Structure formats: C-alpha cells, structure tokens
Amino acid sequence: MDSTKDLIIVGGGPAGYSAALYAARASLDVLVVEHGMAGGQIATSDIIDNYPGLGSCSGAELGQKMLEHAEHAGAQSTYGSVSSIDREDDMFIVNTDMEQLEAPALIVATGATPRLGGFVGEDEFRGRGVSYCATCDGMFYRGKHVFIIGGGNSAVEEAMYLSNIAEHVELGVRRDVFRAPRGMVERLLTRDNITIRYQTSIIEVSGSTFINRIVLRDNATGETHAEMFDEGSVGIFVAVGHDPATQIVAPYVDLGSDGGVVTDESMATKTPGLFCAGDMRSKSLRQVITAAADGAIAAMSAYAYLEESGRI
C-alpha cells in the first residue's frame, strides 16, 4: 500500500467511516487509520436503535457495516495506533506504531471517552446495566429503576430525560451540593419520580447476566450498604463527563470550554487542511448520527481544500 494518500482519516468510528465513504465517492485516495474495532466507541454498545432507518443492531454490527460500505466505495483501512502528527511542507505526517503515512489533507475523528464511575463491576456490566448515555440507552429502562452518578450539568440533564422514561430515578451526588446551576437543579426537584441522594457513591455492582445488587457508600460517614433488585430491573448511568480525545492534534487546534476541538461549520480547524469531526469536537450533542454528519461535511470540505490548493 502506498504510504502517500490524498486524505488520511484518523479514527474508524461513525465520523471516520462517514468521511471515508464521502471522500471515496468523490474519487479521493483515502485511508482510514483505526486502532481497534470498526465503529470505535459504539462497538462496545450492545444495541444501537436510534440511527434513522436502521432499526436495531449491535454497535459492533453497525461499525462493521460502515467499514464495508466505505471500502465498497473505494476507501482503504489500516490498523494501528497513531502516536503523533507532524506537519512538513504542507503535508501531514501521521506516525503510527506500524508505519508512517502522509497526505496533504487530514481528518481526525478520534471521539470522546466517557469518564468512568470507578466502581467494582463497572467494566463487567457495561452494556448490561451500566451505561454512559441516556439518549442512547434510556428506552431500555422504560418503567424500570435507574441510578445516575454525578452532580453536574450532564447528570441533571440525564436525570430529567430519564424521568420521562423510567419509573423511578435516583441521582447519587457524591458531594453535599450539586455542581449544576441552581436553575437546573430547581427544575429537577419538581419531578415527582426523582430522588436525590447526597454524599452517595456506588462502590460495587454485581449480578448474573444483568445487575441485581448495588453497594452504596455514605460519603459523610463511610458506611456502606447493599440494595437488591430483580435482575434486569435496574440500570446505572454514569454521568461524570466525557474527555474528547484531542491529544494528537493539540498543537494544531484550539479547544473549547468542554475540552473539544473548535471548528467552523465546515469542520475546519485553525490549521489549513486539518479537519476534525465527531465527538472530539466542541459540541452540545454527541450521537452516532451527529458524528456521521460531521464526517460527511469534513470529507466534502477536505475535497474542496484539495481542489482549491491544486492537490487534485
């Protein structure tokens, strides 16, 4: 495989493969670099059912379909971890653990990573009772009991959203006050099916296929106690924030207040030829569909950049 391309895309999630599809359909020589499974973070989701027209499938299945669609259009994929990006003579040098690649245009779509709750059993029950996105997974808890971990804007928004779906919502605030603005909290307190537990942390979950036991700690006294549930009747939403994965582009971009990359509507950054798409951007909604839309826009913007600069 030729190491020089028209366009390199770092990240094989919905933004990356949407960009690859549009770039390949525009006859660009495009390569996607992904370090894990196709689909990126969505590959860890058991069910995706909010992508219009798709119905329901696993995140891994959707990621694979996106890869196959892009490759059928002519995109190429390679696997490797990108350690750094350099810029020399208007070319981007992408350094991976396997090879060195270069292109005059670059789309970075490395996503964002949910911050973990830090309790025992969190990884084991991810997708089986532990979630990080109410918009994505809330409907699976219709009529059920949910716990939310967090005290900031995200936790309050998740609680408000889930209160319209779940039978009962318990919000575990680790401190004795919210970090969210007072107005948001006041609206939260008007909901009859939301209970606030201050100074409360989840320290362990367990069960068989799904969670049926949650161990809680009173952060004021240090005392712990376990609560039991029918298996499959309870869920935990960790809402302590996301960290956009911006490390490899940090020297070439500006960051917003949420830690995401600042772009214009064309997904362009302050560095000519560098575009960022998906959940790594500074944005209000991080969903599969918004990431895919970002990728399509970034690809067409990269095409326009290459054409205007005489590279194609």
Side-chain angles (χ1 to χ4, degrees):
M1 182 178 65
D2 188 354
S3 62
T4 301
K5 300 294 179 181
D6 293 331
L7 173 66
I8 293 173
I9 300 169
V10 179
Y17 274 116
S18 174
L21 172 64
Y22 275 75
R25 285 170 58 88
S27 298
L28 294 182
D29 184 7
V30 56
L31 175 69
V32 178
V33 183
E34 167 58 33
H35 70 88
M37 289 181 64
Q41 186 180 315
I42 67 163
T44 66
S45 298
D46 281 354
I47 299 174
I48 300 289
D49 69 348
N50 59 353
Y51 195 84
L54 182 66
S56 179
C57 69
S58 71
E61 182 182 358
L62 177 57
Q64 185 63 29
K65 285 179 178 291
M66 288 180 166
L67 178 152
E68 291 172 357
H69 194 174
E71 291 190 343
H72 181 74
Q76 294 178 290
S77 299
T78 188
Y79 291 91
S81 295
V82 175
S83 57
S84 64
I85 293 169
D86 299 317
R87 185 165 167 78
E88 300 176 3
D89 299 326
D90 293 330
M91 292 288 285
F92 291 98
I93 312 299
V94 178
N95 302 298
T96 80
D97 55 350
M98 303 295 290
E99 57 192 327
Q100 188 177 79
L101 306 163
E102 62 178 27
L106 178 66
I107 296 173
V108 179
T110 45
T113 305
R115 295 175 189 154
L116 302 181
F119 50 86
V120 176
E122 179 174 10
D123 186 61
E124 179 183 355
F125 286 96
R126 181 169 181 162
R128 296 188 294 118
V130 175
S131 179
Y132 300 85
C133 176
T135 310
C136 308
D137 300 332
M139 69 163 294
F140 303 119
Y141 297 91
R142 188 173 300 279
K144 298 182 180 181
H145 191 118
V146 297
F147 284 86
I148 300 171
I149 301 171
N153 292 24
S154 295
V156 172
E157 289 169 357
E158 300 268 273
M160 295 284 282
Y161 180 85
L162 288 166
S163 71
N164 295 315
I165 299 171
E167 180 180 5
H168 190 73
V169 176
E170 294 199 63
L171 182 55
V173 182
R174 296 176 178 181
R175 302 188 297 172
D176 59 354
V177 294
F178 280 90
R179 289 182 289 107
R182 180 181 300 176
M184 291 184 67
V185 176
E186 288 175 349
R187 289 194 297 273
L188 178 80
L189 296 176
T190 65
R191 300 294 177 97
D192 293 336
N193 65 336
I194 297 178
T195 300
I196 313 300
R197 295 194 185 194
Y198 293 100
Q199 304 257 58
T200 299
S201 294
I202 292 175
I203 63 170
E204 183 180 353
V205 299
S206 56
S208 180
T209 302
F210 298 97
I211 293 169
N212 65 8
R213 179 175 179 269
I214 300 174
V215 180
L216 299 150
R217 180 180 64 212
D218 184 320
N219 294 330
T221 66
E223 295 178 353
T224 65
H225 74 280
E227 298 185 5
M228 302 298 295
F229 301 86
D230 291 335
E231 193 164 299
S233 71
V234 65
I236 295 170
F237 286 80
V238 181
V240 292
H242 285 73
D243 293 315
T246 62
Q247 296 88 343
I248 61 171
V249 294
Y252 307 106
V253 301
D254 292 325
L255 301 180
S257 59
D258 62 354
V261 174
V262 175
T263 73
D264 63 16
E265 291 186 358
S266 71
M267 306 298 142
T269 69
K270 69 178 184 180
T271 300
L274 174 61
F275 304 86
C276 290
D279 288 2
M280 70 177 305
R281 289 182 58 229
S282 183
K283 59 194 302 187
S284 60
L285 182 64
R286 292 181 167 96
Q287 294 285 290
V288 176
I289 193 168
T290 61
D294 283 1
I297 295 167
M300 292 297 90
S301 299
Y303 179 88
Y305 168 79
L306 291 168
E307 189 173 48
E308 290 167 6
S309 60
R311 299 300 187 102
I312 56 172

